[in-house]
Amino acid sequence: MIPVKGFAGHKVAVLGLGRSGLATARALIAGGATPLCWDDNPEARARAEAEGLTCVDLSRDGAFDAVAALIVSPGIPHLYPVPNPVVRKALEAGVPVDNDIGLFFRSLATPGWATFDTVPRVIAVTGSNGKSTTAALIDHILREAGRPVQLAGNIGRGVLDLDPPGEGGVVVLELSSYQTELARALTPDVGVFTNLSPDHLDRHAGMGGYFAAKRRLFAEGGPERAVIGVDETEGLFLAGQLAEGPGDDRVIRISSGRKLSGPGWHVFARKGFLSEYRKGRQVGSIDLRAIKGLPGAHNHQNACAAYAATRALGLSPKAIEAGMHSYPGLPHRSQLVAEAGGVTYVNDSKATNVDSVLKALAAFDRVRWICGGLEKEGGLDALNAAKGSVVKAYVIGREAAGFAMQLDVEAEVCTTMARAVERAMAEAQPGETVLLAPAAASFDQYDNFERRGEDFMAELRARLPQ
């Protein structure tokens, strides 16, 4: 646990009692503060009270009297589309609003660090797509290289639930826009920006607000090194803002699909090969084509980001390559589930927006595509750019018929996962891939994308030869 600093002897309100909220309350107690907890869900409050935590209705008048701060869980809106009523009460009372990420950065360092030969480092990864894979890959590479490392944030453990890092320790954080937007302290040693595509636009009032939320990771203190994906205009702009000149190697530019040139520090992937250039000279390369845990151009971008981040910590290209070859991949993210009868089965349930699905479809030549669910803003027209790789779509979800009508490929309305898997397997030919890449949220049929992916794999297991 990371005890929270700066609130000893004070009351601190905690809104939202999921994983991060409970970890925050415990860490506040460890730091000498008194947490006042609230969640609209009675079951969440009951779990907190069973731990001995005090629950107080933060929506009542006077709830913020003598309260030093309000700590908000990531899923609770604090600005757009409208602030949560409890957040508004805190703001009206002049009470600072923060989240567990902000508390983590203000509380991580200890006086004991002065005795370390190698102080702990923090790598923070944000972006629209690939940040989970990138963070997990960085964690895996460091672990394989013998570095003490912990993975947390939007993946793994809550940040305040981590063990205080020791000599040479590394903390790898995956941070969503919800987390970076509100944190009052953001001071990683290495910051990674993978890419940007439309997502969560209602929460950020459009693309400008969404980019601004991501950009805060690099603007609220500034990392020593910034790894920036420059395949989108926003990333190109961000790299330009951070660099003092073309040769400033504090900024490592990365790309998937094109060669980067110039006097700076560049890592890019083309035709399955990763290359590292510094001061105009190639200093490292990796053949990514044989790495099963990283299929497709989108994963090659993740590989570039992980390579750059771990190089920034001093790992050799050889050590990084060895770690990549043993990387097993993340569940529900381009996850190879099975190969049978010449057909490959891939679970990419995390592909919930159009951009991530385009990248998933581009990774394979002939796809039997299982898609559908709770449609996000922006429509599906952009998916037609990848229709050449799709043999047929099998559409699930409560609004499957309407979803199917927007696709410019042959589509069969299946509604349920069981029916979609049955039909795709029945029609799949050797050399084809049955791919779950929904291009939609899961909440019309499942609690989360993990449950959707698990259902896909369960239906496959029930039908594949054992």
Side-chain angles (χ1 to χ4, degrees):
M1 180 186 300
I2 308 290
V4 173
K5 297 177 182 176
F7 293 106
H10 294 279
K11 296 176 182 178
V12 178
V14 178
L15 180 61
L17 297 173
R19 182 190 67 171
S20 66
L22 290 174
T24 297
R26 298 181 198 117
L28 284 164
I29 292 172
T34 300
L36 304 178
C37 304
W38 186 251
D39 194 298
D40 291 336
N41 185 340
E43 293 180 2
R45 296 199 300 269
R47 287 193 296 270
E49 288 171 340
E51 282 195 31
L53 298 172
T54 300
C55 287
V56 174
D57 185 354
L58 296 174
S59 65
R60 63 175 175 79
D61 290 341
F64 286 96
D65 292 348
V67 168
L70 170 65
I71 310 304
V72 181
S73 292
I76 298 172
H78 54 270
L79 184 57
Y80 300 115
V82 293
N84 179 280
V86 171
V87 175
R88 177 173 285 279
K89 277 189 172 293
L91 295 173
E92 290 173 345
V95 172
V97 180
D98 203 349
N99 62 15
D100 62 331
I101 304 301
L103 296 183
F104 167 84
F105 278 111
R106 70 182 286 173
S107 305
L108 182 64
T110 66
W113 285 23
T115 66
F116 293 161
D117 291 328
T118 304
V119 298
R121 310 292 294 277
V122 177
I123 300 175
V125 181
T126 195
S128 295
N129 300 308
K131 57 185 180 294
S132 295
T133 295
T134 298
L137 181 58
I138 292 169
D139 172 80
H140 180 81
I141 291 168
L142 291 170
R143 199 174 301 277
E144 291 293 292
R147 296 287 293 269
V149 61
Q150 299 178 81
L151 179 64
N154 207 41
I155 186 175
R157 301 160 69 183
V159 292
L160 294 172
D161 195 36
L162 292 172
D163 300 322
E167 173 84 31
V170 181
V171 174
V172 182
L173 302 180
E174 181 204 339
L175 299 181
S176 71
S177 57
Y178 294 2
Q179 293 168 309
T180 58
E181 184 178 42
L182 189 59
R184 295 172 69 90
L186 284 168
T187 54
D189 298 284
V190 180
V192 180
F193 177 87
T194 58
N195 52 58
L196 197 79
S197 61
D199 208 358
H200 311 303
L201 299 188
D202 59 334
R203 177 67 180 261
H204 300 295
M207 278 294 286
Y210 181 45
F211 176 54
K214 301 287 190 185
R215 182 184 174 278
R216 290 190 77 248
L217 181 63
F218 305 88
E220 297 299 311
E224 292 178 13
R225 279 253 160 57
V227 176
I228 308 295
V230 295
D231 288 335
E232 290 84 32
T233 301
E234 291 87 355
L236 196 62
F237 176 79
L238 180 58
Q241 281 198 312
L242 296 173
E244 293 296 329
D248 187 351
D249 68 0
R250 293 174 303 168
V251 178
I252 309 174
R253 292 169 172 84
I254 64 167
S255 175
S256 175
R258 65 189 179 98
K259 181 178 180 179
L260 301 178
S261 60
W265 194 348
H266 307 296
V267 179
F268 58 88
R270 291 184 68 206
K271 299 180 180 179
F273 288 88
L274 180 152
S275 299
E276 176 190 6
Y277 277 72
R278 299 189 72 172
K279 298 179 180 179
R281 297 178 56 193
Q282 185 170 0
V283 295
S285 66
I286 296 175
D287 184 351
L288 299 172
R289 295 172 300 175
I291 300 177
K292 285 197 170 183
L294 297 167
H298 60 305
N299 275 309
H300 292 174
Q301 183 185 59
N302 301 333
C304 289
Y307 179 97
T310 49
R311 284 287 280 151
L313 290 192
L315 266 66
S316 69
K318 185 176 180 180
I320 297 170
E321 182 174 7
M324 286 184 178
H325 273 283
S326 62
Y327 176 66
L330 274 179
H332 316 297
R333 298 164 176 86
S334 296
Q335 178 186 6
L336 176 61
V337 178
E339 293 175 306
V343 178
T344 301
Y345 298 90
V346 176
N347 167 23
D348 202 352
S349 184
K350 185 62 170 64
T352 59
N353 61 44
V354 167
D355 187 65
S356 60
V357 173
L358 283 172
K359 291 173 178 175
L361 291 173
F364 307 100
D365 292 328
R366 293 178 55 79
V367 178
R368 301 277 174 177
W369 176 30
I370 298 177
C371 58
L374 190 62
E375 188 178 335
K376 294 189 173 184
E377 285 188 23
L380 305 173
D381 289 348
L383 289 173
N384 292 327
K387 65 182 181 180
S389 65
V390 177
V391 179
K392 183 177 176 181
Y394 306 81
V395 187
I396 63 173
R398 293 179 185 173
E399 304 298 328
F403 196 101
M405 288 179 65
Q406 299 181 66
L407 303 177
D408 192 19
V409 297
E410 181 184 354
E412 180 175 336
V413 175
C414 297
T415 307
T416 67
M417 184 69 73
R419 178 64 176 169
V421 171
E422 177 186 24
R423 293 293 300 138
M425 291 183 71
E427 296 184 347
Q429 301 296 313
E432 294 181 346
T433 298
V434 174
L435 170 68
L436 170 65
S442 59
F443 305 124
D444 60 333
Q445 291 182 309
Y446 302 95
D447 290 340
N448 49 52
F449 72 85
E450 292 96 340
R451 292 292 299 274
R452 177 171 57 193
E454 289 161 3
D455 191 22
F456 171 69
M457 292 189 292
E459 293 295 340
L460 286 176
R461 285 193 294 267
R463 292 171 171 81
L464 288 170
Q466 300 301 313

PDB file of all heavy atoms in Angstrom, residues 5 38 60 87 110 124 142 148 154 158-159 169 194 235 238 254 348 374 388 408 421 429:
ATOM      1  N   LYS A   5      -0.014  10.958   1.501  1.00  0.00           N
ATOM      2  CA  LYS A   5       0.621  12.044   2.249  1.00  0.00           C
ATOM      3  C   LYS A   5      -0.207  13.328   2.154  1.00  0.00           C
ATOM      4  O   LYS A   5      -0.927  13.549   1.185  1.00  0.00           O
ATOM      5  CB  LYS A   5       2.016  12.313   1.707  1.00  0.00           C
ATOM      6  CG  LYS A   5       2.983  11.157   1.838  1.00  0.00           C
ATOM      7  CD  LYS A   5       4.308  11.520   1.192  1.00  0.00           C
ATOM      8  CE  LYS A   5       5.290  10.363   1.256  1.00  0.00           C
ATOM      9  NZ  LYS A   5       6.544  10.676   0.545  1.00  0.00           N
ATOM     10  N   TRP A  38     -18.657   7.321   0.133  1.00  0.00           N
ATOM     11  CA  TRP A  38     -20.026   7.268  -0.375  1.00  0.00           C
ATOM     12  C   TRP A  38     -20.041   6.628  -1.755  1.00  0.00           C
ATOM     13  O   TRP A  38     -19.129   6.785  -2.565  1.00  0.00           O
ATOM     14  CB  TRP A  38     -20.664   8.639  -0.457  1.00  0.00           C
ATOM     15  CG  TRP A  38     -22.122   8.574  -0.849  1.00  0.00           C
ATOM     16  CD1 TRP A  38     -22.688   8.947  -2.024  1.00  0.00           C
ATOM     17  CD2 TRP A  38     -23.179   8.056  -0.044  1.00  0.00           C
ATOM     18  NE1 TRP A  38     -24.036   8.708  -2.010  1.00  0.00           N
ATOM     19  CE2 TRP A  38     -24.374   8.160  -0.799  1.00  0.00           C
ATOM     20  CE3 TRP A  38     -23.236   7.517   1.241  1.00  0.00           C
ATOM     21  CZ2 TRP A  38     -25.612   7.741  -0.311  1.00  0.00           C
ATOM     22  CZ3 TRP A  38     -24.472   7.103   1.736  1.00  0.00           C
ATOM     23  CH2 TRP A  38     -25.639   7.214   0.960  1.00  0.00           C
ATOM     24  N   ARG A  60     -25.800  15.324   0.987  1.00  0.00           N
ATOM     25  CA  ARG A  60     -26.592  16.116   1.948  1.00  0.00           C
ATOM     26  C   ARG A  60     -25.922  17.466   2.187  1.00  0.00           C
ATOM     27  O   ARG A  60     -24.716  17.642   1.999  1.00  0.00           O
ATOM     28  CB  ARG A  60     -26.748  15.360   3.266  1.00  0.00           C
ATOM     29  CG  ARG A  60     -25.454  15.094   3.997  1.00  0.00           C
ATOM     30  CD  ARG A  60     -25.682  14.450   5.343  1.00  0.00           C
ATOM     31  NE  ARG A  60     -24.417  14.096   5.983  1.00  0.00           N
ATOM     32  CZ  ARG A  60     -23.623  14.947   6.615  1.00  0.00           C
ATOM     33  NH1 ARG A  60     -23.953  16.242   6.668  1.00  0.00           N
ATOM     34  NH2 ARG A  60     -22.501  14.536   7.183  1.00  0.00           N
ATOM     35  N   VAL A  87     -19.911  15.981  -6.769  1.00  0.00           N
ATOM     36  CA  VAL A  87     -18.765  16.761  -7.238  1.00  0.00           C
ATOM     37  C   VAL A  87     -19.129  18.241  -7.267  1.00  0.00           C
ATOM     38  O   VAL A  87     -18.338  19.108  -6.847  1.00  0.00           O
ATOM     39  CB  VAL A  87     -18.306  16.280  -8.625  1.00  0.00           C
ATOM     40  CG1 VAL A  87     -17.202  17.177  -9.157  1.00  0.00           C
ATOM     41  CG2 VAL A  87     -17.837  14.828  -8.563  1.00  0.00           C
ATOM     42  N   THR A 110       9.632   8.727  -0.987  1.00  0.00           N
ATOM     43  CA  THR A 110       9.848   8.733   0.460  1.00  0.00           C
ATOM     44  C   THR A 110      11.280   9.179   0.760  1.00  0.00           C
ATOM     45  O   THR A 110      12.152   9.123  -0.121  1.00  0.00           O
ATOM     46  CB  THR A 110       9.633   7.337   1.057  1.00  0.00           C
ATOM     47  OG1 THR A 110      10.656   6.453   0.561  1.00  0.00           O
ATOM     48  CG2 THR A 110       8.260   6.786   0.672  1.00  0.00           C
ATOM     49  N   ALA A 124       4.207   5.957 -17.408  1.00  0.00           N
ATOM     50  CA  ALA A 124       2.756   6.114 -17.527  1.00  0.00           C
ATOM     51  C   ALA A 124       2.367   6.095 -19.001  1.00  0.00           C
ATOM     52  O   ALA A 124       2.952   6.821 -19.812  1.00  0.00           O
ATOM     53  CB  ALA A 124       2.296   7.410 -16.874  1.00  0.00           C
ATOM     54  N   LEU A 142      10.378  -5.712 -18.781  1.00  0.00           N
ATOM     55  CA  LEU A 142      11.169  -5.382 -17.592  1.00  0.00           C
ATOM     56  C   LEU A 142      11.298  -6.582 -16.664  1.00  0.00           C
ATOM     57  O   LEU A 142      12.372  -6.861 -16.116  1.00  0.00           O
ATOM     58  CB  LEU A 142      10.535  -4.204 -16.854  1.00  0.00           C
ATOM     59  CG  LEU A 142      10.614  -2.849 -17.569  1.00  0.00           C
ATOM     60  CD1 LEU A 142       9.737  -1.829 -16.865  1.00  0.00           C
ATOM     61  CD2 LEU A 142      12.048  -2.346 -17.623  1.00  0.00           C
ATOM     62  N   PRO A 148      12.688  -5.234 -10.953  1.00  0.00           N
ATOM     63  CA  PRO A 148      11.499  -5.283 -10.092  1.00  0.00           C
ATOM     64  C   PRO A 148      10.444  -4.314 -10.621  1.00  0.00           C
ATOM     65  O   PRO A 148      10.711  -3.113 -10.769  1.00  0.00           O
ATOM     66  CB  PRO A 148      12.026  -4.850  -8.726  1.00  0.00           C
ATOM     67  CG  PRO A 148      13.272  -4.078  -9.004  1.00  0.00           C
ATOM     68  CD  PRO A 148      13.857  -4.636 -10.268  1.00  0.00           C
ATOM     69  N   ASN A 154      -5.267   1.563 -14.860  1.00  0.00           N
ATOM     70  CA  ASN A 154      -6.452   1.062 -15.560  1.00  0.00           C
ATOM     71  C   ASN A 154      -6.344  -0.432 -15.850  1.00  0.00           C
ATOM     72  O   ASN A 154      -7.251  -1.021 -16.415  1.00  0.00           O
ATOM     73  CB  ASN A 154      -6.620   1.839 -16.879  1.00  0.00           C
ATOM     74  CG  ASN A 154      -8.060   1.902 -17.338  1.00  0.00           C
ATOM     75  OD1 ASN A 154      -8.964   2.098 -16.538  1.00  0.00           O
ATOM     76  ND2 ASN A 154      -8.275   1.749 -18.623  1.00  0.00           N
ATOM     77  N   GLY A 158      -5.048  -1.329  -8.277  1.00  0.00           N
ATOM     78  CA  GLY A 158      -5.217   0.087  -8.040  1.00  0.00           C
ATOM     79  C   GLY A 158      -3.888   0.693  -7.648  1.00  0.00           C
ATOM     80  O   GLY A 158      -3.075   0.054  -6.976  1.00  0.00           O
ATOM     81  N   VAL A 159      -3.633   1.935  -8.032  1.00  0.00           N
ATOM     82  CA  VAL A 159      -2.305   2.524  -7.847  1.00  0.00           C
ATOM     83  C   VAL A 159      -1.913   2.627  -6.373  1.00  0.00           C
ATOM     84  O   VAL A 159      -0.746   2.466  -6.015  1.00  0.00           O
ATOM     85  CB  VAL A 159      -2.188   3.900  -8.527  1.00  0.00           C
ATOM     86  CG1 VAL A 159      -2.239   3.765 -10.028  1.00  0.00           C
ATOM     87  CG2 VAL A 159      -3.264   4.858  -8.030  1.00  0.00           C
ATOM     88  N   GLY A 169      13.211  -0.106  -8.487  1.00  0.00           N
ATOM     89  CA  GLY A 169      11.863  -0.549  -8.847  1.00  0.00           C
ATOM     90  C   GLY A 169      11.234   0.319  -9.923  1.00  0.00           C
ATOM     91  O   GLY A 169      11.555   1.504 -10.062  1.00  0.00           O
ATOM     92  N   THR A 194       0.172   6.735 -27.108  1.00  0.00           N
ATOM     93  CA  THR A 194       0.155   5.769 -28.210  1.00  0.00           C
ATOM     94  C   THR A 194      -0.466   6.347 -29.476  1.00  0.00           C
ATOM     95  O   THR A 194       0.137   6.329 -30.545  1.00  0.00           O
ATOM     96  CB  THR A 194      -0.602   4.500 -27.800  1.00  0.00           C
ATOM     97  OG1 THR A 194      -1.949   4.843 -27.419  1.00  0.00           O
ATOM     98  CG2 THR A 194       0.097   3.794 -26.653  1.00  0.00           C
ATOM     99  N   GLY A 235      -0.757  13.669 -32.072  1.00  0.00           N
ATOM    100  CA  GLY A 235       0.529  13.216 -31.584  1.00  0.00           C
ATOM    101  C   GLY A 235       1.676  14.011 -32.178  1.00  0.00           C
ATOM    102  O   GLY A 235       2.651  14.345 -31.489  1.00  0.00           O
ATOM    103  N   LEU A 238       1.734  17.242 -30.376  1.00  0.00           N
ATOM    104  CA  LEU A 238       2.224  17.086 -29.008  1.00  0.00           C
ATOM    105  C   LEU A 238       3.743  16.940 -28.985  1.00  0.00           C
ATOM    106  O   LEU A 238       4.434  17.569 -28.172  1.00  0.00           O
ATOM    107  CB  LEU A 238       1.567  15.881 -28.348  1.00  0.00           C
ATOM    108  CG  LEU A 238       1.973  15.561 -26.908  1.00  0.00           C
ATOM    109  CD1 LEU A 238       1.688  16.745 -25.992  1.00  0.00           C
ATOM    110  CD2 LEU A 238       1.240  14.317 -26.418  1.00  0.00           C
ATOM    111  N   ILE A 254       7.424   7.763 -32.323  1.00  0.00           N
ATOM    112  CA  ILE A 254       7.203   6.402 -32.803  1.00  0.00           C
ATOM    113  C   ILE A 254       6.140   6.402 -33.895  1.00  0.00           C
ATOM    114  O   ILE A 254       5.279   7.283 -33.959  1.00  0.00           O
ATOM    115  CB  ILE A 254       6.780   5.448 -31.665  1.00  0.00           C
ATOM    116  CG1 ILE A 254       5.428   5.865 -31.081  1.00  0.00           C
ATOM    117  CG2 ILE A 254       7.839   5.398 -30.568  1.00  0.00           C
ATOM    118  CD1 ILE A 254       4.793   4.823 -30.182  1.00  0.00           C
ATOM    119  N   ASP A 348     -10.815 -10.355 -29.746  1.00  0.00           N
ATOM    120  CA  ASP A 348     -10.446  -8.945 -29.561  1.00  0.00           C
ATOM    121  C   ASP A 348     -11.658  -8.183 -29.032  1.00  0.00           C
ATOM    122  O   ASP A 348     -12.066  -7.155 -29.573  1.00  0.00           O
ATOM    123  CB  ASP A 348      -9.948  -8.349 -30.880  1.00  0.00           C
ATOM    124  CG  ASP A 348      -9.062  -7.114 -30.662  1.00  0.00           C
ATOM    125  OD1 ASP A 348      -8.976  -6.645 -29.513  1.00  0.00           O
ATOM    126  OD2 ASP A 348      -8.457  -6.631 -31.628  1.00  0.00           O
ATOM    127  N   LEU A 374     -23.595  -2.329 -28.138  1.00  0.00           N
ATOM    128  CA  LEU A 374     -24.127  -0.994 -27.888  1.00  0.00           C
ATOM    129  C   LEU A 374     -23.299   0.016 -28.670  1.00  0.00           C
ATOM    130  O   LEU A 374     -22.147   0.302 -28.329  1.00  0.00           O
ATOM    131  CB  LEU A 374     -24.064  -0.693 -26.383  1.00  0.00           C
ATOM    132  CG  LEU A 374     -24.794   0.561 -25.895  1.00  0.00           C
ATOM    133  CD1 LEU A 374     -26.286   0.464 -26.165  1.00  0.00           C
ATOM    134  CD2 LEU A 374     -24.542   0.772 -24.414  1.00  0.00           C
ATOM    135  N   GLY A 388     -12.447  -4.978 -47.371  1.00  0.00           N
ATOM    136  CA  GLY A 388     -11.769  -5.926 -48.259  1.00  0.00           C
ATOM    137  C   GLY A 388     -11.299  -7.180 -47.560  1.00  0.00           C
ATOM    138  O   GLY A 388     -11.168  -8.231 -48.196  1.00  0.00           O
ATOM    139  N   ASP A 408     -21.092  -2.288 -44.943  1.00  0.00           N
ATOM    140  CA  ASP A 408     -21.039  -2.456 -46.392  1.00  0.00           C
ATOM    141  C   ASP A 408     -20.378  -3.789 -46.758  1.00  0.00           C
ATOM    142  O   ASP A 408     -19.521  -3.859 -47.636  1.00  0.00           O
ATOM    143  CB  ASP A 408     -20.267  -1.290 -47.017  1.00  0.00           C
ATOM    144  CG  ASP A 408     -20.417  -1.226 -48.524  1.00  0.00           C
ATOM    145  OD1 ASP A 408     -21.380  -1.826 -49.044  1.00  0.00           O
ATOM    146  OD2 ASP A 408     -19.554  -0.604 -49.174  1.00  0.00           O
ATOM    147  N   VAL A 421     -21.126 -17.528 -33.228  1.00  0.00           N
ATOM    148  CA  VAL A 421     -20.010 -18.470 -33.246  1.00  0.00           C
ATOM    149  C   VAL A 421     -20.380 -19.710 -34.051  1.00  0.00           C
ATOM    150  O   VAL A 421     -19.576 -20.200 -34.862  1.00  0.00           O
ATOM    151  CB  VAL A 421     -19.602 -18.842 -31.806  1.00  0.00           C
ATOM    152  CG1 VAL A 421     -18.603 -19.984 -31.812  1.00  0.00           C
ATOM    153  CG2 VAL A 421     -19.017 -17.623 -31.098  1.00  0.00           C
ATOM    154  N   GLN A 429     -13.511 -21.259 -43.751  1.00  0.00           N
ATOM    155  CA  GLN A 429     -12.694 -22.112 -44.604  1.00  0.00           C
ATOM    156  C   GLN A 429     -11.228 -22.038 -44.154  1.00  0.00           C
ATOM    157  O   GLN A 429     -10.806 -21.070 -43.524  1.00  0.00           O
ATOM    158  CB  GLN A 429     -12.803 -21.644 -46.070  1.00  0.00           C
ATOM    159  CG  GLN A 429     -14.218 -21.649 -46.616  1.00  0.00           C
ATOM    160  CD  GLN A 429     -14.792 -23.061 -46.664  1.00  0.00           C
ATOM    161  OE1 GLN A 429     -14.132 -23.997 -47.137  1.00  0.00           O
ATOM    162  NE2 GLN A 429     -16.023 -23.219 -46.173  1.00  0.00           N
TER     163      GLN A 429
END
